[in-house]
Amino acid sequence: MAHFLIVEARFYSHLNDMLIEGAKGALEAAGHSAELITVPGALEVPGAIAMAAESGRYDGFVAIGVVIRGETYHFEIVAGESARAIMALTMDGIAIGNGILTTENEEQAIVRADPAQKNKGGEAAMAAVRLLELRDQFD
């Protein structure tokens, strides 16, 4: 049994709740445990994961959040930089499933977040599990 940390950017509560439900459900179904912490936004998720990884208390991580396109360039910065930073941590050997949704509108986010539809939270959790398995295999 592995222990995961779900790091959520708590901005769209109703969407995050669905993503977290999916992630926790997938981890529990796979026989793993999870804790949850909250950060202000998607840009803070990679930093929180990096700090938590240094603690050695977690085997893997699931990044959760929703970024919906607005009227400014801010969407591109948040979406791109959070994904880039998560990928950099993954390349350093940290098992992370990226469940930060980047959508054009709320309707797209609902379909992706809902565990009864696309269940991207569950998919992110299982990606973290698989990366952990690979890391263990290569160690």
Side-chain angles (χ1 to χ4, degrees), residues 64-129:
I64 295 291
V66 179
V67 183
I68 298 175
R69 185 179 300 279
E71 296 178 3
T72 69
Y73 185 69
H74 187 66
F75 170 86
E76 283 81 6
I77 293 169
V78 173
E81 289 301 310
S82 64
R84 182 201 56 76
I86 288 169
M87 183 56 67
L89 292 169
T90 303
M91 297 298 290
D92 286 341
I94 300 173
I96 305 170
N98 188 351
I100 298 177
L101 303 180
T102 53
T103 64
E104 294 293 324
N105 54 55
E106 185 174 351
E107 292 76 27
Q108 289 177 351
I110 289 170
V111 169
R112 286 156 179 77
D114 186 351
Q117 295 185 58
K118 292 200 174 192
N119 194 18
K120 294 299 182 180
E123 286 182 13
M126 294 315 298
V129 168

Side-chain angles (χ1 to χ4, degrees), residues 8-26:
E8 73 151 330
R10 191 81 179 166
F11 196 78
Y12 297 100
S13 298
H14 63 296
L15 299 170
N16 279 16
D17 288 344
M18 288 190 281
L19 288 166
I20 292 165
E21 177 186 346
K24 283 184 174 180

